[in-house]
Structure formats: C-alpha cells, structure tokens
Amino acid sequence: MAQAANIKQGEQIFNAICSGCHARGGNVIMGNKTLNKEALEKYGMASADKIISQINNGKNAMPAFQGRLKPQEIENVTAYVLMKAEQGWHKR
C-alpha cells in the first residue's frame, strides 16, 4: 500500500458503500463467501492484494469500484476489512 491506511476512512466507506451486501462481514448474495477470516482464507482472499483486486475489478454480483473510488480509498477499505476479519466482525 502506498500510504499508511486510514482505517477510520475505510470504515466510513465500507459502511456507506459495502455494508448493503456485506453488513457485519456477511454476504447477502453468496452466503458462504463472507468477509470472515476463515472464509477469506478458504477462498484465497486473505491478502490485501486479492481484496484490492476484487474491489477494483468486481466479480459475479459485485460491481467494480475502480474509477469510482480512489486507489487510497480502496486501500483504506481493504485495511478495514482485514482488520475486522482478524478481530471478528461481531466484536467492536
């Protein structure tokens, strides 16, 4: 990541844009492909590079956000997702 991630901004963007489908780390479209640590590991998505690629390019029902979000915003969301996956989404 180019700059240090801004977790707070990542949380704000996640809540505004991503939480409709991924509230509390879930996935309303594909219930087994959550943002929980175990699912990210199982599906090969437990790295910043993989998550950034998914956000940029989209996949299946998830739209691409490249061009809609700035690269630093995508990095901030990625850092937030990885932090929450590590902590457990249901914990504060």
Side-chain angles (χ1 to χ4, degrees), residues 31-73:
N32 59 325
K33 293 191 175 181
T34 68
L35 301 178
N36 293 316
K37 183 178 179 179
E38 297 78 15
L40 291 175
E41 290 171 350
K42 178 178 179 179
Y43 295 106
M45 295 297 296
S47 74
D49 288 341
K50 295 284 187 174
I51 294 171
I52 288 169
S53 178
Q54 179 95 6
I55 295 170
N56 275 325
N57 303 310
K59 188 174 181 182
N60 299 321
M62 182 172 162
F65 287 93
Q66 187 171 31
R68 296 170 62 188
L69 292 173
K70 295 175 186 167
Q72 186 62 48
E73 292 174 322

